[in-house]
Amino acid sequence: VHSIHDLNRLKALEITQNVSLLSHGITDLLPKVNLLKYLKKKLKLTKTKRIASYGFCLPGKGYKELIRAIGLLKETDIEVSLTIYSAIYSEQYKYVYTELKELIQDLKLDNLVSIETEYMTDEDTLNALSLFDCIVFPYQGSNESSSASVRQGIASLRPVLVTPVDIFSDASDLVDYLPGRTSQDIADGIYQWFKSNQFRLYDSNYENRKKLLNKRRFSYLRKRLINTLKSLEINCTFRNSV
């Protein structure tokens, strides 16, 4: 299973002897280094703080709350823009995209918020997300145990901010938490994050997370899983021979 919450659920059902924790994998792909963007960021030549979000265009992802948060941040002393990479899941959920576009127009945020709906390869996704100052996942709730979308954000090697919901618990050592799920909470969290990081040219916290990330990549987990299976095979062979 992927998280402590999953372990506890099975423990409540008295299933403990044949259970182990295996983190949800993160891609081994790395984003291409954009030298110009890197230098601009280090030298603080870009005034506008560029925020991204990523995931299927579905209810519960918190995109409406995030868009409203941009409207709130518009009234502060920091300049922000938002790009949401959100492919439409199916015709059944196309209404979600329509509602988001209407919200952007109603709040007069057309010049600050854009939505990209095309399907992208993992490589293109990582390269696109790597160009932003931070990536925000404003989920409002989920029945899933783990988020594949947040792992793409983490793999882009950019700072990732998430709402305090259980789906992100297994990646808690690789993300920063926003104070809540409301638009005001999201706006406050983003504002404080930018204010606390605006003078940092080197952030040891994120350097440490990059090291932790290597132990969550599929190639590393593959070796761990193979070793676990080999151990089980050896134990079974030994038991059968006794």
Side-chain angles (χ1 to χ4, degrees), residues 51-66:
I51 302 167
S53 192
Y54 168 75
F56 277 120
C57 199
L58 293 168
K61 291 296 183 76
Y63 293 138
K64 287 184 178 180
E65 286 77 9
L66 179 56

Side-chain angles (χ1 to χ4, degrees), residues 7-200:
L7 287 176
N8 289 334
R9 289 190 192 100
L10 292 176
K11 185 177 180 180
L13 297 172
E14 298 183 353
I15 301 174
T16 58
Q17 297 302 312
N18 59 340
V19 179
S20 64
L21 186 65
L22 184 71
S23 300
H24 194 308
I26 297 175
T27 180
D28 286 85
L29 291 172
L30 290 172
K32 294 179 181 178
V33 177
N34 187 307
L35 184 59
L36 179 61
K37 171 66 178 178
Y38 177 81
L39 290 175
K40 282 184 176 180
K41 182 178 184 300
K42 290 299 182 184
L43 296 174
K44 306 299 179 183
L45 297 179
T46 53
K47 189 175 181 181
T48 300
K49 310 300 183 183
R50 301 181 68 235
I51 302 167
S53 192
Y54 168 75
F56 277 120
C57 199
L58 293 168
K61 291 296 183 76
Y63 293 138
K64 287 184 178 180
E65 286 77 9
L66 179 56
I67 291 169
R68 293 191 184 101
I70 297 300
L72 295 172
L73 288 168
K74 182 181 177 182
E75 306 303 321
T76 68
D77 61 339
I78 63 172
E79 296 181 11
V80 297
S81 67
L82 170 65
T83 302
I84 302 175
Y85 293 94
S86 186
I88 297 173
Y89 189 76
S90 67
E91 285 296 317
Q92 179 184 355
Y93 292 103
K94 194 171 183 178
Y95 76 91
V96 180
Y97 169 73
T98 302
E99 290 180 353
L100 295 179
K101 291 295 290 184
E102 290 175 350
L103 179 60
I104 292 170
Q105 292 173 359
D106 291 343
L107 296 177
K108 296 180 173 57
L109 297 175
D110 301 77
N111 61 327
L112 297 180
V113 180
S114 61
I115 305 176
E116 305 292 337
T117 59
E118 71 272 14
Y119 282 80
M120 300 167 65
T121 65
D122 286 344
E123 184 176 5
D124 288 342
T125 298
L126 292 180
N127 291 336
L129 294 179
S130 69
L131 299 179
F132 289 83
D133 292 289
C134 68
I135 307 165
V136 178
F137 293 87
Y139 285 33
Q140 298 299 292
S142 176
N143 292 325
E144 297 179 354
S145 297
S146 183
S147 168
S149 296
V150 80
R151 277 159 181 73
Q152 289 293 80
I154 293 170
S156 73
L157 303 181
R158 303 308 304 137
V160 172
L161 283 64
V162 303
T163 45
V165 294
D166 288 344
I167 194 172
F168 301 122
S169 62
D170 66 320
S172 59
D173 55 344
L174 298 171
V175 300
D176 286 326
Y177 279 95
L178 298 164
R181 293 181 290 182
T182 68
S183 296
Q184 189 65 62
D185 289 332
I186 294 170
D188 290 344
I190 292 173
Y191 182 86
Q192 292 300 327
W193 186 86
F194 276 120
K195 284 296 183 179
S196 64
N197 286 278
Q198 63 180 334
F199 298 116
R200 295 183 184 179

Side-chain angles (χ1 to χ4, degrees), residues 195-212:
K195 284 296 183 179
S196 64
N197 286 278
Q198 63 180 334
F199 298 116
R200 295 183 184 179
L201 293 179
Y202 174 80
D203 192 337
S204 60
N205 188 34
Y206 287 106
E207 292 300 320
N208 290 334
R209 286 180 178 177
K210 288 179 186 178
K211 295 177 182 178
L212 290 174

